[in-house]
Amino acid sequence: MKLFQIEEPEGGPADPGVPGIAIGIDLSGPVAIVAVAVGGNAVVLNDREGFEQQLTVPDPAAGADHWEELFVAARLRAERALARPATHVIIAVAADIDAPAAARLAIGAEQAGLSVLRLVPAAELPSDAGPALAAAIVAEDLAPRPEPGGGTGANLA
C-alpha cells in the first residue's frame, strides 16, 4: 500500500495577517491589464483558457461600485494565475483623470480588497515596458514585506 500526502502550496494555509503579492494594473486604455513582478521581472497575467473575462475599464465618472467590480475581477485574475493572495496594487491611470474620479477608483480598489500603494499616470512610468509591467515592478518595490516571526514591519505602538 502506498500513502501520499496532500499539502497546501507554500506548506500551509495563508496567514491573513501577512501581506500578499502586489500587482500592477494599467487602466489607461479601454481594457485593464494586470501584471505582476518577481525579482524585477514583470509579466502580464491572463485568465486560463475557457475562463477568459474582459476587464473593461469603466468611464472615469462611474461610481466606486463599478470600479470595485473591475478590481475584484483583476484581483481574481491575479490570484488564480499566481495561486496566492493579491493584497496591494499600483494603478496606472490616464493622465486626464481628475481628483474625484481618482478617489472613486481608489475606494473601489479598497472595497475589492486591494490596498492602493500609488496611483500613477501611465505617461510617468518608464516607457521601455508597458504601463502594466512598469506598475508591477514599482508595486513589487513598494509592497510591504513580512518580517521574520510573522509581522509586516508596521509599528502599532
Side-chain angles (χ1 to χ4, degrees):
M1 176 169 62
K2 290 186 177 184
L3 298 176
F4 65 94
Q5 181 176 353
I6 299 173
E7 292 186 18
E8 294 289 327
E10 305 291 326
D15 180 352
V18 175
I21 198 157
I23 58 175
I25 302 176
D26 176 16
L27 301 179
S28 63
V31 176
I33 301 170
V34 182
V36 66
V38 177
N41 298 308
V43 63
V44 171
L45 300 173
N46 294 306
D47 292 320
R48 290 184 319 191
E49 188 175 327
F51 295 92
E52 296 91 353
Q53 184 176 7
Q54 184 85 350
L55 299 179
T56 304
V57 176
D59 183 89
D65 56 331
H66 293 285
W67 289 106
E68 179 183 0
E69 288 177 29
L70 172 70
F71 286 116
V72 165
R75 191 189 87 231
L76 287 175
R77 176 178 287 180
E79 290 177 348
R80 287 177 180 154
L82 302 168
R84 57 188 291 202
T87 57
H88 293 79
V89 65
I90 295 283
I91 304 168
V93 296
D96 59 351
I97 191 168
D98 62 19
R104 287 189 301 275
L105 188 148
I107 290 167
E110 295 286 340
Q111 289 173 339
L114 292 169
S115 295
V116 178
L117 297 170
R118 191 174 291 164
L119 287 169
V120 182
E124 291 181 15
L125 291 165
S127 62
D128 57 333
L133 298 174
I137 293 168
V138 174
E140 180 186 27
D141 290 341
L142 295 180
R145 308 253 187 261
E147 285 187 0
T152 61
N155 183 0
L156 302 176

